[in-house]
Amino acid sequence: MIPTVEWRDGTVRLLDQSRLPEQVEVLVCRDYETVARAIREMKVRGAPAIGVTAALGVALGAQSLAEARYEEFAKAMMGICDHLAATRPTAVNLFWAIERMKRALAGLRGEPVAVIKRRLLDEAQRILEEDIAMNKAMGRHGAELIRDGQTILTHCNAGALATAGYGTALGVVRAAWEQGKKIRVLADETRPVLQGARLTAWELMQDKIPVTLITDSMAGALMRQGRIHLCLVGADRIAANGDVANKIGTYSVAVLAKAHGIPFYVAAPHSTIDLATRSGEEIPIEQRAPQEVTSVCGGAPVAPLGVDVLNPAFDVTPAEYVTAIITERGVFKPHELATRFRS
Ligand code: MRU
């Protein structure tokens, strides 16, 4: 598969997810503004992927600066970081990655600017590689929770496409599949942007992992019929009390799962855990354009012109609905995160 995001020949290359599955196209970003636009327009999306992309965007911005003295260079870098941070508000991985790049920059004070530019790129590459390694570790821990023959419901896309590679929730699925477990994924289509239909179904089919596509409204009936054994989703931000922000519709899945006695698991790396945010109530929820709701993927309108629309891109699932959180350090109860991840 073409990588979700990579650095090549002085550019940031992104698999353009807004065009999948019809077109498999790579967007070549030659400046940090194009990287920022790609994040805002969801050409790259998914919490870990936008963090990695922003880090590479910071490194790309650094290469273009002409400032030769540290003070001026660092000031210009802050402008680049602010520009990239203003793209999407909910996924904390974006801010986590940018903060890490800022720390790297601060630690390089005194070095020649040419060296700083190289080291910033090294740091961004490390963020990318660590993301893949964390996903594989998460896969190993999470696969223990999946038994042969089970059907797993997922929502949105928390796969290789949403990360630098392998995936969080779908990384767990991949690991179970690689262990030889005969499993099936039920993919919620995930209105309005259809990440489940366009991306999860496509990604799993590429890997020949059995997948069945359903509309979001079908999950409850299938749970009642005993056809779903567990739910497994990713996260955009997990608060200190274990509340989980993820794609709109996740909360409904969690409530349904609890009502039917089905485990509801969240897979996320430490870059998604935000101990500075006390509870889900403090998590900023991105509101997106009404057109995403009044038409399907920018096609013909499906609603009367001028209708009032709500379009929150994420919701918060309270910790009490989350059976456990799968991380690269192991599987924890939501309330355990604050102590386990205090660094
Ligand atoms: O709006 P998106 O497509 O960026 O939302 C993505 C999700 O909600 C994912 O479930 C989440 O980022 C976890 S990805 C590993």
Side-chain angles (χ1 to χ4, degrees):
M1 201 167 113
I2 297 171
T4 305
V5 46
E6 66 173 335
W7 178 274
R8 207 197 289 180
D9 303 332
T11 65
V12 177
R13 295 166 71 96
L14 302 170
L15 174 57
D16 186 345
Q17 300 189 35
S18 65
R19 305 189 87 106
L20 288 172
E22 292 88 10
Q23 277 148 7
V24 182
E25 272 179 28
V26 171
L27 174 70
V28 180
C29 306
R30 298 179 195 283
D31 50 60
Y32 75 89
E33 291 96 336
T34 309
V35 173
R37 207 172 319 117
I39 296 173
R40 191 175 301 112
E41 294 174 0
M42 294 174 67
K43 292 181 185 305
V44 59
R45 32 66 53 203
I50 65 177
V52 170
T53 303
L56 288 171
V58 171
L60 182 61
Q63 313 306 312
S64 68
L65 293 180
E67 283 78 356
R69 288 189 42 229
Y70 181 85
E71 271 67 31
E72 280 103 55
F73 179 80
K75 192 161 171 240
M77 285 303 301
M78 290 307 126
I80 292 169
C81 290
D82 290 349
H83 187 84
L84 285 157
T87 48
R88 296 191 74 189
T90 304
V92 77
N93 311 60
L94 176 72
F95 310 104
W96 172 88
I98 292 172
E99 281 309 312
R100 188 161 148 181
M101 294 301 287
K102 282 187 187 172
R103 275 202 306 279
L105 172 65
L108 289 164
R109 179 187 278 273
E111 297 282 353
V113 163
V115 171
I116 299 179
K117 289 182 179 179
R118 224 172 28 245
R119 298 268 179 82
L120 287 176
L121 179 56
D122 292 345
E123 182 71 358
Q125 295 273 32
R126 255 193 305 275
I127 291 175
L128 183 151
E129 279 151 27
E130 286 172 17
D131 186 60
I132 300 173
M134 288 192 293
N135 292 337
K136 293 201 167 154
M138 235 180 284
R140 284 193 295 278
H141 295 302
E144 305 291 316
L145 303 167
I146 299 179
R147 289 201 304 277
D148 195 32
Q150 287 193 316
T151 295
I152 302 146
L153 177 72
T154 193
H155 192 74
C156 194
N157 172 267
L161 290 168
T163 62
Y166 205 70
T168 58
L170 294 190
V172 172
V173 166
R174 265 194 184 91
W177 180 253
E178 285 163 6
Q179 289 173 357
K181 291 176 183 161
K182 294 203 172 31
I183 52 177
R184 173 166 292 276
V185 173
L186 280 185
D188 275 349
E189 67 170 348
T190 319
R191 271 282 281 157
V193 182
L194 301 181
Q195 290 94 332
R198 296 189 304 104
L199 307 177
T200 296
W202 182 79
E203 176 179 331
L204 292 175
M205 286 175 78
Q206 298 288 305
D207 276 3
K208 303 200 168 22
I209 299 174
V211 57
T212 302
L213 178 63
I214 61 170
T215 68
D216 301 337
S217 52
M218 294 174 188
L222 292 168
M223 286 186 193
R224 193 170 161 80
Q225 291 163 16
R227 292 165 71 181
I228 295 172
H229 303 107
L230 62 126
C231 304
L232 181 51
V233 300
D236 287 85
R237 190 186 295 228
I238 305 178
N241 71 344
D243 290 352
V244 174
N246 191 47
K247 180 52 54 193
I248 191 76
T250 303
Y251 171 56
S252 314
V253 172
V255 172
L256 281 168
K258 190 161 192 159
H260 292 89
I262 296 167
F264 179 88
Y265 297 112
V266 175
H270 76 271
S271 51
T272 305
I273 299 167
D274 178 14
L275 296 185
T277 296
R278 279 167 303 178
S279 80
E281 277 174 38
E282 293 175 14
I283 299 176
I285 300 293
E286 178 180 11
Q287 305 293 322
R288 293 191 64 88
Q291 291 78 0
E292 287 182 355
V293 176
T294 55
S295 69
V296 178
C297 292
V302 293
L305 200 65
V307 67
D308 186 43
V309 170
L310 285 176
N311 188 14
F314 301 95
D315 61 26
V316 173
T317 298
E320 70 212 69
Y321 291 93
V322 178
T323 309
I325 298 179
I326 303 160
T327 75
E328 76 278 13
R329 298 188 195 166
V331 179
F332 304 111
K333 291 281 174 202
H335 70 264
E336 292 178 303
L337 290 188
T339 44
R340 297 287 184 159
F341 285 84
R342 209 185 308 278
S343 49

